[in-house]
Amino acid sequence: MRCEYNDGLMVSYSGPLRITKGNEVNVFLNADDIPENIRSELHEAALHDNCGELRHVAQEVTDIIGSNIPEW
């Protein structure tokens, strides 16, 4: 499943997850690296073919990753 949004965000999920937005965001996770709870949400979004649900999951992932990056 691939979704593109008006603000430039692109999310692709087919096992691995790819989230990009210009130069601001570039996330790639192999299927084995995605936590089970996130993977189940991704699976549900794909089953529903719902880009709104996929965007919500992508936001969760970027929030989690962003909160784990140390400040310089």
Side-chain angles (χ1 to χ4, degrees), residues 26-56:
N26 188 3
V27 175
F28 179 83
L29 295 172
N30 287 313
D32 294 338
D33 297 329
I34 301 171
E36 183 59 39
N37 62 324
I38 298 292
R39 193 175 324 143
S40 65
E41 289 184 50
L42 289 166
H43 182 71
E44 286 295 315
L47 279 176
H48 299 149
D49 196 29
N50 187 313
C51 285
E53 289 179 31
L54 190 61
R55 183 183 183 105
H56 175 76

Side-chain angles (χ1 to χ4, degrees), residues 16-17 23 42 46 56 62 70:
L17 173 65
N23 293 328
L42 289 166
H56 175 76
T62 56

